[in-house]
Amino acid sequence: MPVRRPALIPALCAALVLTCTAVSAQDKPAAPLYTVQEGYKVDAETMKGFRAWRAAACDRCHGANQEGMVGPSLVNSLKTLTKAEFITTVTSGRLDKGMQSFGNSPVVMDNINQLYAYLKGRSDGAITRAKVEEIK
Amino acid sequence: MSLPTLALANADVEKNIANSKNWAMQAGDMFNQRYSKLNQIHKGNVGKMQVAWTFSTGVLRGHEGSPLVIDGTMYLHSPFPNKVFAIDLETQKILWKHEPKQDPAVIPQMCCDTVNRGLAYAEGKVFLQQADSNLVALDAKSGKVLWTVKNGDPKLGAVNTNAPHVFKDKVITGISGGEWGVRGFLAAYDINTGKQVWKGYSVGPDSEMLMDPVKSTTWADGKVTPVGANSSLKTWKDDQWKIGGGTTWGWYSYDKATNAVYYGTGNPSTWNPSQRPGDNKWSMSIWSRDVDTGKVNWVYQMTPFDEWDFDGINEMILADIPVKGKPTKALVHFDRNGFGYTLDRVTGALLVAEKYDPKVNWATHVDMKTGRPQVVSKYSTAQNGPDVNTKGICPAALGSKDQQPASFDPNTGLFYVPTNHVCMDYEPFKVEYTAGQPYVGATLSMYPTPGSHGGMGNYITWDAGTGKIVQSKAEKFSVWSGSLNTAGGLSCYGTLEGYLKCVDAKDINKELFKFKTPSGIIGNVFTYEHKGKQYMGVFSGIGGWAGIGMAAGLEKDTDGLGAVGGYKELNQYTELGGSLTIFALPN
């Protein structure tokens, strides 16, 4: 893969780089939730989210592409689930529905914000494939 | 070998299976043959078969296994919450119902759907192996709990999906949880008290495996050889064996003459082979243990150092057949790894190991001297390494066959095998173990076998004496249903779209009967007789690994959708829902 340096080519950059910003209550832009280039190159933090997704074997139930299997599609769910609801669900699980609690999983709990960023990027359609790489 | 002393349970189970009107064990007998001597329904009239009655379990998700029938009563089970019903065949009324209270935390601990493979029956007791690992004996007359014993720790992912099996005065059960780093074992409990009689681990120190370095043997250098000291420990890096897998969630068989229980062990944990260099013995192996003591008679590892999740748990079918022209007390096994094995069940000698799907490509062949498959580097996920996607491996992790049990027909001398025809891409990556959390370490995508008929299954007949496919019948989806052969010249199986099909045992491409049940079939076909009439039945209820994608709609068609990719078209054929359909000839 050729390494892109988006800062050097701003014109292309606009087309290739997506950042998503969560708007805070004070209407001040917060730090970008994720940065993605070409649909699959992501910032280091979002990469941690992908690694947590993989390590916790979330694909077992939600599908390799978050499309849903025995568990719901996260592409759809994260369109309506708030971040707080997401964190509660992952931490405590929904046992009767088959969603386990990841509260005891260090890899998930230490990277819960990053996991949210990665999945939100997938749900937003900004990250166009499940397998991502780190922006070099 | 100790001389078998006949215990009562054995006599009772034997009496029940000797009466062809019953379906007294999950496989119909102790040899796992899945053959019935009933012949009222036969080649000439099966086309007229109709639905006699139906029964809903009230449970969604995958329905594996089958009911039992003993002396006019049917006992049936459901997936989690593992309901048990006793039904009077005369009135089809529910005589009693038992619904265990289980912690729902168990549901997400189950790897591949909340399946349960059925009950066992002996001496007026019904044995249920609950998902939460509790093994329970119920009074067959009332459904009252007689005893309960905890078989594993579900908090660590040790859960159960297998059917318990009664051999002699013991209930034999295993454990699931290879994807949680559970260390597998087989255990025997006293049928009257539930007290554990023995427990033999799949991996670890000799004493805990009940392995004798001198008396326990394996196949090496072209002969039966003592396993030697520390045969398992030597093949693991450091303490990896402690979370080493080798679970035991399949079907077990028993031969009175050898007094041995035969079964297989599953994948080593993790799915990332680089983290566990070595042969990882005795995962992925065929075992013979003495039923009374659990001591290992012999063991043979099919897939040393697994790199593909080819669990070795599929049933061991015992049959006395000619092998390469010589009458043999054989053990026949269709492994997930795509090879059909024939061994001498007395000595454990390897006799035949051939591909039962011509597209199997991860190994060229099995070296008959060493017993080791010859791995093709291109398809070695370990040689290609972590974070590399190894593409085009056949079969997929689902195996050329998964748990769906095959049948043996003594009239044709052939084995009837429901198979998967699916390949995969497999990308391993490093994982850390956390107790009670998934411990997988690979991302997979599965798809129909390229360059073939486009379908994802075949129903085949197999000559275990020579290791050759005799006939092959293409199926649109994997055949994930246990087959049944009968003295009526029939071979019957279910399909994932939901059809029960019966074919001519002498020419399986002749479809003689086909009926669409309410949901996809992953249960096993069974038959019994009541008041002079033969019935045939099967559970429908899509689920299990093949059907797991059914529970949610898929958003778009992309490549590499894991277990769903190839199966998503199933949505157009079937929906969740558990029911039993019973067939008979018209009056």
Side-chain angles (χ1 to χ4, degrees):
Chain A
M1 285 282 173
V3 177
R4 280 204 172 276
R5 296 184 180 279
L8 300 179
I9 19 175
L12 275 177
C13 193
L16 294 174
V17 182
L18 281 162
T19 58
C20 166
T21 309
V23 178
S24 70
Q26 294 82 26
D27 274 359
K28 278 185 197 148
L33 188 59
Y34 54 79
T35 303
V36 57
Q37 300 172 359
E38 296 170 62
Y40 69 94
K41 293 178 182 170
V42 299
D43 60 282
E45 291 304 298
T46 307
M47 193 69 199
K48 283 184 192 165
F50 167 68
R51 290 205 183 99
W53 155 266
R54 235 176 32 161
C58 310
D59 60 323
R60 239 174 16 97
C61 299
H62 296 288
N65 299 313
Q66 296 85 23
E67 74 278 17
M69 287 209 321
V70 95
S73 155
L74 299 181
V75 172
N76 293 339
S77 293
L78 265 73
K79 292 191 196 315
T80 50
L81 214 62
T82 65
K83 186 174 176 184
E85 286 168 335
F86 169 84
I87 291 175
T88 304
T89 305
V90 174
T91 308
S92 316
R94 285 178 178 161
L95 299 183
D96 55 333
K97 291 201 159 142
M99 169 75 183
Q100 73 167 86
S101 133
F102 287 91
N104 298 329
S105 167
V107 71
V108 173
M109 296 328 294
D110 295 350
N111 297 289
I112 190 81
N113 294 317
Q114 292 88 337
L115 180 61
Y116 177 75
Y118 165 69
L119 292 172
K120 190 72 180 131
R122 288 284 294 136
S123 175
D124 291 347
I127 300 174
T128 54
R129 69 173 206 205
K131 196 188 174 186
V132 291
E133 293 167 17
E134 198 169 333
I135 297 170
K136 295 285 189 297
Chain B
M1 268 188 227
S2 61
L3 280 175
T5 49
L6 274 191
L8 276 174
N10 202 348
D12 185 54
V13 176
E14 280 184 291
K15 175 175 70 78
N16 291 333
I17 59 181
N19 179 354
S20 300
K21 293 175 183 172
N22 292 327
W23 189 257
M25 291 182 77
Q26 285 297 323
D29 65 17
M30 297 193 191
F31 273 25
N32 273 345
Q33 290 190 353
R34 307 194 52 76
Y35 172 80
S36 168
K37 290 181 182 144
L38 298 181
N39 61 5
Q40 189 182 83
I41 301 169
H42 56 70
K43 269 191 328 201
N45 61 19
V46 68
K48 296 194 183 78
M49 209 160 59
Q50 300 173 337
V51 174
W53 58 278
T54 58
F55 181 82
S56 167
T57 63
V59 180
L60 303 175
R61 309 280 290 260
H63 283 58
E64 288 181 350
S66 81
L68 299 176
V69 171
I70 292 108
D71 301 338
T73 305
M74 178 181 285
Y75 302 94
L76 56 99
H77 66 284
S78 83
F80 190 95
N82 306 140
K83 294 184 202 175
V84 183
F85 302 90
I87 295 178
D88 180 354
L89 289 179
E90 195 51 39
T91 58
Q92 290 119 48
K93 263 177 81 175
I94 298 171
L95 296 167
W96 55 259
K97 175 183 160 183
H98 170 76
E99 185 167 337
K101 291 270 174 288
Q102 299 186 70
D103 182 349
V106 169
I107 301 171
Q109 297 279 49
M110 302 182 85
C111 134
C112 313
D113 205 9
T114 49
V115 296
N116 178 292
R117 298 193 184 88
L119 307 164
Y121 178 97
E123 292 183 352
K125 299 181 189 71
V126 171
F127 300 95
L128 166 70
Q129 175 61 78
Q130 293 177 191
D132 65 5
S133 97
N134 282 316
L135 178 66
V136 182
L138 304 170
D139 183 314
K141 285 274 177 283
S142 65
K144 202 170 106 258
V145 175
L146 301 171
W147 55 255
T148 300
V149 62
K150 194 176 175 201
N151 179 52
D153 184 355
K155 295 243 176 321
L156 298 178
V159 294
N160 278 93
T161 57
N162 62 280
H165 291 64
V166 175
F167 302 130
K168 291 181 91 171
D169 55 351
K170 298 171 186 70
V171 194
I172 311 282
T173 192
I175 199 78
S176 299
E179 282 59 57
W180 269 257
V182 169
R183 183 179 163 218
F185 60 82
L186 198 73
Y189 297 93
D190 183 296
I191 64 165
N192 294 309
T193 63
K195 191 170 161 288
Q196 192 179 95
V197 184
W198 55 259
K199 180 175 182 177
Y201 281 95
S202 308
V203 300
D206 292 345
S207 60
E208 293 179 12
M209 291 192 296
L210 309 179
M211 187 81 78
D212 185 311
V214 180
K215 288 183 189 154
S216 306
T217 60
T218 188
W219 182 254
D221 199 27
K223 57 183 188 295
V224 172
T225 311
V227 288
N230 301 320
S231 60
S232 169
L233 291 178
K234 280 195 306 208
T235 64
W236 288 91
K237 180 178 177 241
D238 308 329
D239 279 352
Q240 186 71 30
W241 62 269
K242 290 183 177 170
I243 46 170
T247 52
T248 48
W249 47 275
W251 313 90
Y252 322 137
S253 48
Y254 171 72
D255 182 358
K256 213 162 56 166
T258 56
N259 197 39
V261 55
Y262 300 92
Y263 71 101
T265 46
N267 63 289
S269 312
T270 86
W271 288 17
N272 176 20
S274 307
Q275 284 177 247
R276 44 169 175 79
D279 280 352
N280 310 142
K281 287 183 163 74
W282 294 95
S283 67
M284 307 303 211
S285 301
I286 302 176
W287 297 67
S288 164
R289 284 185 189 268
D290 183 279
V291 146
D292 292 316
T293 62
K295 284 186 177 145
V296 179
N297 299 316
W298 58 260
V299 59
Y300 162 69
Q301 189 177 45
M302 295 169 286
T303 311
F305 186 51
D306 172 64
E307 310 169 44
W308 313 271
D309 187 41
F310 291 152
D311 291 52
I313 63 91
N314 293 353
E315 75 287 353
M316 309 297 158
I317 306 171
L318 312 182
D320 300 341
I321 52 169
V323 178
K324 294 177 174 167
K326 198 171 143 231
T328 306
K329 284 177 169 284
L331 173 153
V332 176
H333 168 81
F334 299 94
D335 199 54
R336 282 254 286 266
N337 73 9
F339 285 88
Y341 292 86
T342 307
L343 279 76
D344 180 320
R345 70 175 178 266
V346 181
T347 65
L350 176 67
L351 305 173
V352 175
E354 297 290 343
K355 295 174 182 179
Y356 63 97
D357 180 330
K359 295 288 186 182
V360 170
N361 65 9
W362 68 278
T364 52
H365 64 289
V366 172
D367 181 311
M368 295 307 282
K369 206 166 172 216
T370 61
R372 295 178 76 93
Q374 303 303 292
V375 177
V376 176
S377 295
K378 183 181 167 189
Y379 302 116
S380 165
T381 71
Q383 290 174 48
N384 294 335
D387 299 313
V388 175
N389 197 6
T390 298
K391 295 192 167 185
I393 304 162
C394 307
L398 302 161
S400 295
K401 184 174 95 61
D402 200 273
Q403 61 77 36
Q404 60 273 32
S407 48
F408 170 70
D409 191 327
N411 307 304
T412 60
L414 298 173
F415 292 78
Y416 294 72
V417 195
T419 74
N420 311 319
H421 197 49
V422 180
C423 302
M424 69 173 170
D425 303 342
Y426 188 111
E427 184 172 329
F429 54 86
K430 191 169 186 317
V431 274
E432 300 295 328
Y433 174 78
T434 304
Q437 295 290 336
Y439 181 58
V440 183
T443 303
L444 276 58
S445 27
M446 308 194 205
Y447 39 84
T449 297
S452 187
H453 53 68
M456 284 177 291
N458 290 305
Y459 192 61
I460 68 160
T461 47
W462 175 258
D463 180 344
T466 57
K468 287 195 168 59
I469 299 168
V470 179
Q471 279 192 297
S472 184
K473 176 180 186 283
E475 280 287 347
K476 187 172 176 59
F477 297 105
S478 290
V479 189
W480 207 275
S481 149
S483 54
L484 169 79
N485 277 52
T486 72
L490 298 171
S491 186
C492 303
Y493 62 95
T495 72
L496 285 181
E497 308 102 296
Y499 291 104
L500 172 70
K501 291 183 176 184
C502 288
V503 298
D504 183 337
K506 289 207 170 86
D507 179 3
I508 59 169
N509 286 303
K510 265 196 205 151
E511 221 169 77
L512 304 170
F513 176 80
K514 182 175 165 180
F515 180 88
K516 197 160 189 299
T517 65
S519 178
I521 297 174
I522 60 170
N524 304 334
V525 187
F526 73 114
T527 188
Y528 64 93
E529 186 184 303
H530 181 67
K531 293 216 161 157
K533 204 169 170 67
Q534 183 186 351
Y535 296 86
M536 189 181 287
V538 71
F539 269 135
S540 48
I542 192 74
W545 200 358
I548 207 162
M550 289 298 301
L554 294 155
E555 31 127 14
K556 62 174 183 283
D557 192 0
T558 51
D559 286 332
L561 284 170
V564 180
Y567 292 98
K568 61 184 182 298
E569 214 193 322
L570 265 176
N571 285 332
Q572 296 162 25
Y573 291 88
T574 187
E575 187 48 274
L576 297 175
S579 55
L580 175 70
T581 310
I582 300 290
F583 299 85
L585 293 170
N587 284 325

